[in-house]
Amino acid sequence: MTQLRPMQASGFAVAAVLAGCSGDGSDIGPDLPKLPAASCKAVVLDDLGRGVTGATVAVAGSAVRTITGRNGRGDFLANPTGRLSISVDGSAAAAVDGDRLATLRFALDVPGTDLPSVFYLPDLPDSASATLTVGTQTGATSVTSTAGAVLTVPAGSSVGLPSGAPAVVLRVGALQAQHLPADLPVAPTGTFVFGRGIFVDPPSLTFTPPVDLDVDDDLGLGAATAQLYHLDPTTGQWSEVATGAASTGARITLAGAVATGGLYAFGAAAAATTVQGRAVGPAGAPLPDVLVVVDQWKTTTGIDGRFAVDGVAATLANGAPRAAVVELFAGATWLPARQGTTVPVSAASTDAGDIMLDTLPAANVRVQQVLRGRADAFRPVRTSSLLGDVALATTGDANGQSLFEDLPTDWFGFQEGRPIDPFGVFYGQGIDFVDQGRRWHDSFHFLFERPWNLGSRRTRVLVTDSIGGGPLKAAIVRGTVPGEGFLGLTEESGALFDDRDMGGRATASLRTARGSEALVYAFSIERPSGDHLELPLRRVLRPPLARFDRHGLVEGNLTGVDPSREHRLRVTRRISPGEWWADVAEGRPLVSSLPVDVDPAVTHGPFRVGVDAVGGNLAATELTTVSTVTTLQRMGLLVDFQPVEGGLVQRDIPLDLAADTTFTVGQALLALPAELVLGDLRLALALEQPSRRAVDVARDLGGNHAANGSDLVFTLPALTGPLAGHRWQTALQGSFPTSGYPASGSIASISARIDLPRPVPPLPGSLTSGSFTFLDFPTVTAPVTGDVVPASGFTVQYSLPPRALYGSIELRSDAVGGADALCWHVIVPPDLNQFTFTRLPAEAVTPLVAGRTYTLTVSAFRAQQVVALAEFPYFDLATLLQSVDEFERGVEQVSRRTIQITTN
């Protein structure tokens, strides 16, 4: 059997000193397991076109199955062909929080390669349900779907269920007409026009005699009649179950229509026509092998991007004009994308013209993380594409392996680092390439040991995506002379070389746009001095079709609850403390999303949530709120839990950890900044595990910290028993409007991290004896709030508080009225007291635009350990600004001063 091979050495680089991989893998580390050469992809969406994660798609009578991922897509890693019976099980899947997706079975012909259809699942909400006793009904029960279909079970009807359960929850869902699955009945002459699908759940339910159905007349029956069709849940074939349905008052009502559960649809005879068109990409190039659905009739585009679909209803059943629904989906080797439109049709052939589908060739990328020749387990891993604006981040598994689905082909890469001590770091950076048409690709992320700062006379300037770490094509500018200093445009490597000091400043800028959203972003480092500089840029990223990561469901109860109190549940994948801190202090959201279907905030006990397929953490809390101050009383944890992907696991969480232990930070309130009010600070709480991973526990707590003289006291669960060996990471945050020159009209804000218990004796490498004091706020003397400054450039005069390791200045203007969002982020050394925003040269896009209102924020960063011990700490941290995050740099506090200005 031909097997996929890992990446070739020609497409990969991890610094100059490391050899790449070739052949079947690396000779200096673990390898990824082999994959079959076969591939067949399936796509599952909900009725609104959102990707469904966690749906199980299986071929009946075989072991061939797959579970859908971040775009609603899965790969069988097999090539089933012929007339197949396919089941799509949505019982443990999710498109949005709280949905309840149906399970369908249908028969279809699979000619080869990929399943020739996108599968849509109806939602079965509680609002369209009723509980029935099994057996003869003593009264009538009606259930109305969200689409207005009414199923009525009259008195005297007998309800049956093969399971023998005494009661059943009857649910009625809906599917848009163009989303009806399988091969619909073909009319002997002309064609059929079909209406919306009605799903009766559970499919095994029986009614004796059959019950009544009443739906909107979306067929335009007039004086004509319709047939009712049923998709048999066992055979997956459509069959006619009733005829002669008439329309009255724009409703189709049919008594004795529904004998069993499953999917139903009304159809009526109509004249047939043909709809044709062409699928094109954003640049106008034709897109081959794109799935096309016109109403319910399916095809794929040819090599020229064209399609033609016969059998489309030319009119409604009464002969009135109608519009056909055309939907395109980029499947197979394309980045998943969906586009729909409506086209007025007639008896003559209709040309829908060019339909643009925003897609690119894509592949799945498997990653093996390697540190010192061994698998680097349970570590953050990230990557991003040069093209297509895709950036991804996750956590590797116990073997240091992870999967990134649907990454655009061409160049992509990563960057990662973590400190060893004040002198060295583990660092890795790589660029890889995937050929178009390839479905799977293996990539290896090596970390090697290097000093924070090498002694080279030249600087390698690397421009990367701020999330994924991959290379970007962007403009690089050196120095501070207005309108001058253009160094060049980075290409596939994202890198350019220059003198070590970059003329006093290094700047990269880039504009990205997607749909109606556009961002101009620049990043500068003032006074760089290193062999390697990282300039991370934010982009407008392409959103996935699905909202959630791969997961399995966990269902249970919070036990020992006090129902009079509040309850919350936080669920994340395995995360690092740095990811938690970036979310809390820097406002960079965790790159992860998991469904919450049953929320204990509402139920005060039962919960049903998704847990990352590689493993994750659940933190349940019981709280009280008095006068807007929320206090943690008790908590319960389920940590490092690996669910059954696409399945459901029962597990209760006892609230057995009481917040009754005090942790004292001595003298922490000495020299408290005048603007800071302790009672207005709110606490974000995380538990740092012995593994150096973090459990996100709670946010916005106000009652678990207090002053005791000059000491700061926290009241939290004890770090004993199951929490022995752990420590608390606390982040106190608050914002304070200020008055008085020079800060009139400004906002002072702070994020202060305190690890508990405090080290006694101090940690090796601490700046001080382990004491903690709040960092003062920066001052900004010019400009001041409300000033008008020239868009050609202006100077910010400021000062950072003592013991700040470094500072940052951010100039940001949100998008207004279709204009680009603008942002310029600058890193400055602690002794600098002014920074001049200059006019960038014409080759570089600039975030400074006349007539815009900007938010100007000056931030100060304090660190207690690691980098702060180096001889030249600012030069060291400026070398690895992205690959080593703020937490790993030892940053424990960020204080900020914010004003608003306008440009002319």
Side-chain angles (χ1 to χ4, degrees), residues 627-819:
S627 300
T628 72
V629 175
T630 299
T631 303
L632 171 66
Q633 302 292 346
R634 291 188 300 171
M635 57 176 271
L637 299 175
L638 183 61
V639 299
D640 294 329
F641 182 79
Q642 185 165 0
V644 177
E645 185 180 3
L648 176 66
V649 175
Q650 298 288 332
R651 185 64 59 94
D652 292 340
I653 301 178
L655 297 176
D656 54 358
L657 301 170
D660 56 6
T661 301
T662 58
F663 298 82
T664 300
V665 185
Q667 309 297 298
L669 304 182
L670 289 175
L672 197 68
E675 293 157 301
L676 191 152
V677 179
L678 182 65
D680 290 342
L681 294 177
R682 291 296 178 263
L683 172 67
L685 184 64
L687 184 70
E688 186 176 334
Q689 302 170 277
S691 62
R692 291 298 311 277
R693 294 189 294 272
V695 180
D696 189 355
V697 174
R699 305 282 176 93
D700 200 32
L701 301 176
N704 292 89
H705 63 279
N708 181 12
S710 61
D711 295 343
L712 178 59
V713 178
F714 294 87
T715 305
L716 300 170
L719 296 175
T720 58
L723 301 187
H726 296 67
R727 66 176 177 173
W728 291 113
Q729 290 291 346
T730 66
L732 288 169
Q733 298 176 285
S735 295
F736 310 94
T738 60
S739 60
Y741 189 82
S744 180
S746 72
I747 301 292
S749 59
I750 195 164
S751 295
R753 177 174 61 85
I754 309 172
D755 54 309
L756 302 173
R758 298 297 288 172
V760 180
L763 288 175
S766 294
L767 267 179
T768 68
S769 61
S771 63
F772 173 92
T773 56
F774 281 94
L775 181 65
D776 211 339
F777 298 104
T779 61
V780 180
T781 55
V784 296
T785 287
D787 275 0
V788 178
V789 299
S792 58
F794 63 96
T795 298
V796 180
Q797 295 179 345
Y798 66 93
S799 64
L800 302 180
R803 287 181 51 202
L805 176 63
Y806 66 100
S808 73
I809 304 172
E810 184 183 76
L811 191 64
R812 178 173 54 82
S813 179
D814 296 331
V816 178

Side-chain angles (χ1 to χ4, degrees), residues 7 12 21 26 28-32 366-383 393-404 414-418 428 442-448 573 614:
M7 59 175 196
F12 187 68
C21 307
S26 165
I28 58 172
D31 201 358
L32 289 155
R366 298 191 304 167
V367 170
Q368 173 69 65
Q369 293 173 279
V370 182
L371 176 66
R372 290 176 169 170
R374 297 183 179 181
D376 201 12
F378 298 125
R379 290 290 187 174
V381 56
R382 50 188 174 174
T383 193
T394 187
T395 303
D397 64 13
N399 297 314
Q401 298 172 1
S402 53
L403 169 64
F404 290 118
F414 85 101
Q415 184 170 241
E416 194 66 56
R418 72 183 76 116
D442 289 352
S443 185
F444 292 78
H445 291 188
F446 293 97
L447 298 188
F448 68 100
R573 59 173 168 83
V614 178

Side-chain angles (χ1 to χ4, degrees), residues 572-588:
T572 67
R573 59 173 168 83
R574 290 183 173 104
I575 61 173
S576 69
E579 291 176 292
W580 171 78
W581 176 249
D583 187 6
V584 169
E586 297 297 321
R588 299 197 299 270

Side-chain angles (χ1 to χ4, degrees), residues 67-348:
I67 300 173
T68 58
R70 66 180 293 269
N71 279 304
R73 185 155 73 175
D75 194 330
F76 287 121
L77 296 177
N79 285 130
T81 58
R83 185 70 175 175
L84 302 177
S85 177
I86 305 291
S87 68
V88 181
D89 184 352
S91 60
V96 294
D97 288 319
D99 58 359
R100 185 188 300 268
L101 299 173
T103 294
L104 292 174
R105 181 185 294 271
F106 37 82
L108 77 167
D109 292 317
V110 179
T113 311
D114 299 292
L115 297 188
S117 178
V118 175
F119 306 123
Y120 295 87
L121 295 181
D123 190 15
L124 305 168
D126 289 338
S127 62
S129 69
T131 300
L132 304 177
T133 57
V134 173
T136 302
Q137 306 300 294
T138 58
T141 300
S142 294
V143 178
T144 303
S145 78
T146 55
V150 181
L151 184 77
T152 300
V153 183
S157 179
S158 178
V159 174
L161 200 64
S163 67
V168 62
V169 178
L170 169 65
R171 300 178 184 274
V172 180
L175 274 180
Q176 297 178 61
Q178 68 270 19
H179 295 163
L180 294 174
D183 299 324
L184 289 159
V186 178
T189 59
T191 190
F192 287 126
V193 56
F194 285 94
R196 185 181 296 271
I198 304 99
F199 190 85
V200 179
D201 186 76
S204 59
L205 196 62
T206 60
F207 303 101
T208 308
V211 299
D212 308 334
L213 186 61
D214 179 8
V215 303
D216 285 328
D217 179 8
D218 49 3
L219 303 178
L221 280 182
T225 60
Q227 298 77 249
L228 181 66
Y229 295 91
H230 178 231
L231 182 65
D232 188 284
T234 301
T235 67
Q237 305 273 9
W238 287 97
S239 60
E240 183 183 284
V241 294
T243 60
S247 177
T248 303
R251 303 283 295 182
I252 302 174
T253 302
L254 192 60
V258 175
T260 69
L263 185 62
Y264 292 83
F266 283 103
T273 189
T274 299
V275 173
Q276 57 187 340
R278 188 173 74 132
V280 298
L287 299 179
D289 296 322
V290 167
L291 297 171
V292 181
V293 179
V294 182
D295 293 342
Q296 301 83 27
W297 315 111
K298 304 171 180 67
T299 189
T300 57
T301 58
I303 192 66
D304 58 357
R306 298 204 63 84
F307 64 87
V309 178
D310 299 323
V312 177
T315 65
L316 295 173
N318 61 4
R322 69 178 295 269
V325 178
V326 181
E327 289 190 347
L328 274 61
F329 189 90
T333 57
W334 294 107
L335 195 66
R338 175 178 172 270
Q339 182 64 51
T341 187
T342 56
V343 181
V345 294
S346 64

